[in-house]
Structures are given as C-alpha cells and as structure tokens.
C-alpha cells in the first residue's frame, strides 16, 4: 500500500461528513442567520402593531410605518429568492 493512500484514508476517516453543520460557522452563515432573524422580528413587530391598532391601542402612524417596513422586508426577500433561483437555473444550464 502506498503512503499516499494511507494518508488519504486517514484524512478521510477524520474528515467531517458533508451533511453535518460546521461547528465554526462562517461569517456569511452567521450573516444570513441574522438576516432571517431580523426578517422574522420585522414581521412579528408589524403583526403586534396591527393587533394593537385594531383594538385602538396603537397610533395609526405607527401602523403605517410598521406595514411599510414589512412591505420592504418582503420585497427584499422576494428579490433575494429570485436571484437564488436564477443562479440555480444558470448552474443547471452549465454543460457537464
């Protein structure tokens, strides 16, 4: 057996499986996580303001502002989703 194959086998045995999450996540992954959490927080805040406005406990201006923030967040999410789908379709078109 060649020394390179032994080293490769040992490295393969110690390698992290590709399906497991990396414990030291990159900055990009943490940035995406923060973005998703901000998006969820924006939606939750808008829902709370809308509920308060329905029972007369919120200012109409606050309701309009919360709805505008939610609309912007949803539009941004849709644009990002469209770009991801477009990139995926471009990868599928690549010759093998």
């Amino acid at each position: 057996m060649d020394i390179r194959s032994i080293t490769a086998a040992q490295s393969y045995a110690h390698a992290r499986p590709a399906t497991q999450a990396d414990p030291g996540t990159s900055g990009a992954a943490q940035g995406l996580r923060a973005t998703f959490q901000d998006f969820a927080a924006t939606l939750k805040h808008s829902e709370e303001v809308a509920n308060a406005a329905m029972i007369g406990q919120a200012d109409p201006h606050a309701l309009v502002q919360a709805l505008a923030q939610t609309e912007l967040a949803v539009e941004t999410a849709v644009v990002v989703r469209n770009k991801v789908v477009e990139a995926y379709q471009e990868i599928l078109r690549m010759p093998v």
Side-chain angles (χ1 to χ4, degrees):
M1 189 179 255
D2 188 11
I3 188 72
R4 288 179 288 172
S5 61
I6 292 173
T7 305
Q10 289 174 346
S11 297
Y12 182 75
H14 295 296
R16 171 188 61 81
T19 56
Q20 291 181 353
D22 190 8
T25 57
S26 67
Q30 290 180 353
L32 281 175
R33 183 183 316 237
T35 301
F36 293 141
Q37 288 172 345
D38 290 344
F39 178 73
T42 300
L43 294 180
K44 184 176 180 183
H45 174 70
S46 178
E47 185 176 337
E48 290 171 355
V49 171
N51 287 338
M54 281 191 269
I55 58 174
Q57 294 180 347
D59 182 31
H61 178 71
L63 176 63
V64 171
Q65 185 178 7
L67 291 176
Q69 288 177 347
T70 302
E71 182 181 6
L72 181 62
V74 169
E75 287 176 1
T76 303
V78 168
V79 168
V80 170
R81 183 211 52 176
N82 289 344
K83 290 291 184 179
V84 168
V85 168
E86 183 180 321
Y88 178 72
Q89 289 173 343
E90 189 67 28
I91 290 171
L92 289 178
R93 284 188 220 117
M94 288 182 181
V96 178

